[in-house]
Amino acid sequence: MAAITRLRLAKRSFFVPPLPTRTFSSSQVNAPPHAAAASFRRGPRSDILSKRCVQWVFLGCPGVGKGTYASRLSNLLDVPHIATGDLVRDELASSGPLSSQLSEIVKQGQLVSDEIIISLLSKRLGAEEGKDDLGFILDGFPRTIKQAKILEGVTDIDLVINLKLREDVLLEKCLGRRICKECGGNFNVASIDIKAENGTPGIVMAPLLPPANCISKLITRSDDTEAVVKERLRIYREMTQPVEDFYRNRGKLLEFNLPGGIPESWPKLLHALNLDDYEDKRSAAA
């Protein structure tokens, strides 16, 4: 309860742009990448050039790329990217009072409790207080209905981006993840090339290889084993997918089926968010 109170105290006044009405039919949920996104599209978003005004959440299975795309949008829109996975890893590295408890949870592929996540998130939001941030992009929170309701009582989320990818591709991606133990860079050695068959589109994802000076320093995350990844996906299906319905029923969910790797997906995601020309405008305004 104390953690929830601290999170509530961290609430700030945000500019929230008017949003279009978004409705989704059952056919749109499993539609091609932009079918569901079409109802989100609206006129040019010129106000976003002068005001950092997003309060967005990224949803999606472990390994789908929430951090990658949330980070890119964070840099593009100049708003904080708050990733609960990073909060957990930072706490683990800090040797703080929660580190041993978190270490055991992560090794077993279990979800961190609501109380711990809320405590870490409230600490992060509190650290941003007074920095004149007019928005945020949350990555990895909320993962349960309970968390979604807590968040709804704290601030107004205006868009939830739900990244989707086939489970066999997710597994291959997770097993290919590597981290440079020296610089902390994230890479992926998996070369995914799944051919289209029986009406299912193919998926091509090139590896994200490290520079030469990092190759000998790559390590695999302790929780990136096949058994742990499958368990995390199972838990996600049971506990987090209902959150999709929570936001879908509120007209805030944007489904986005990743068509491939970053080169294929990034421009299409910008299109779905009506930010096609934003990078050019931002560069011109700099």
Side-chain angles (χ1 to χ4, degrees):
M1 182 59 70
I4 296 173
T5 301
R6 290 196 300 273
L7 183 59
R8 192 175 294 276
L9 288 174
K11 181 180 179 181
R12 291 158 286 177
S13 296
F14 295 103
F15 170 80
V16 181
L19 289 172
T21 300
R22 296 183 295 279
T23 56
F24 301 95
S25 68
S26 58
S27 61
Q28 286 175 312
V29 173
N30 296 311
H34 300 306
S39 59
F40 174 75
R41 303 275 302 165
R42 65 184 183 100
R45 217 174 188 172
S46 58
D47 58 339
I48 209 168
L49 274 173
S50 58
K51 297 178 181 179
R52 292 172 291 161
C53 53
V54 302
Q55 293 176 210
W56 292 354
V57 166
F58 267 84
L59 293 182
C61 288
V64 75
K66 297 186 295 295
T68 297
Y69 294 102
S71 178
R72 281 179 164 244
L73 283 170
S74 167
N75 291 331
L76 178 66
L77 302 176
D78 196 21
V79 297
H81 168 210
I82 302 176
T84 54
D86 289 342
L87 296 180
V88 170
R89 282 186 282 276
D90 288 346
E91 185 67 23
L92 282 168
S94 72
S95 299
L98 293 175
S99 60
S100 59
Q101 182 181 354
L102 284 171
S103 178
E104 193 60 31
I105 292 171
V106 170
K107 285 179 181 177
Q108 294 178 11
Q110 300 297 313
L111 290 177
V112 180
S113 71
D114 290 342
E115 289 73 19
I116 292 176
I117 288 295
I118 291 165
S119 177
L120 295 176
L121 181 59
S122 64
K123 179 180 176 182
R124 174 67 172 81
L125 288 175
E128 292 296 328
E129 192 70 28
K131 293 186 179 180
D132 197 32
D133 292 316
L134 296 180
F136 55 81
I137 297 176
L138 285 179
D139 159 18
F141 186 95
R143 343 176 230 87
T144 65
I145 291 294
K146 178 182 176 182
Q147 290 179 353
K149 289 180 178 178
I150 291 171
L151 186 61
E152 190 176 59
V154 170
T155 191
D156 295 317
I157 298 300
D158 53 72
L159 180 65
V160 178
I161 303 161
N162 186 30
L163 299 182
K164 307 190 82 171
L165 192 61
R166 289 168 42 174
E167 188 165 315
D168 55 342
V169 178
L170 281 169
L171 180 59
E172 197 167 340
K173 274 191 66 185
C174 287
L175 296 181
R177 292 194 295 197
R178 300 292 186 273
I179 300 171
C180 175
K181 63 182 178 182
E182 185 171 288
C183 72
N186 289 281
F187 308 100
N188 201 302
V189 299
S191 181
I192 299 171
D193 186 0
I194 298 177
K195 307 300 182 185
E197 60 179 16
N198 300 324
T200 302
I203 295 224
V204 175
M205 290 186 176
L208 181 60
L209 298 176
N213 59 305
C214 290
I215 291 177
S216 64
K217 306 176 184 73
L218 295 184
I219 58 174
T220 303
R221 278 173 39 174
S222 61
D223 56 331
D224 277 346
T225 65
E226 184 171 351
V228 170
V229 171
K230 286 182 176 180
E231 177 65 5
R232 288 166 62 200
L233 293 175
R234 183 192 67 79
I235 292 173
Y236 180 87
R237 286 192 298 270
E238 290 184 2
M239 296 188 63
T240 307
Q241 285 189 337
V243 178
E244 298 175 13
D245 293 330
F246 179 87
Y247 286 114
R248 184 181 292 111
N249 292 337
R250 285 158 175 75
K252 296 182 178 183
L253 190 73
L254 174 67
E255 306 269 19
F256 186 80
N257 293 291
L258 292 164
I262 295 173
E264 299 84 12
S265 299
W266 176 241
K268 292 180 180 179
L269 179 59
L270 290 181
H271 178 75
L273 294 170
N274 202 22
L275 294 172
D276 311 68
D277 58 350
Y278 183 69
E279 276 185 295
D280 293 336
K281 287 182 179 179
R282 186 169 184 253
S283 297

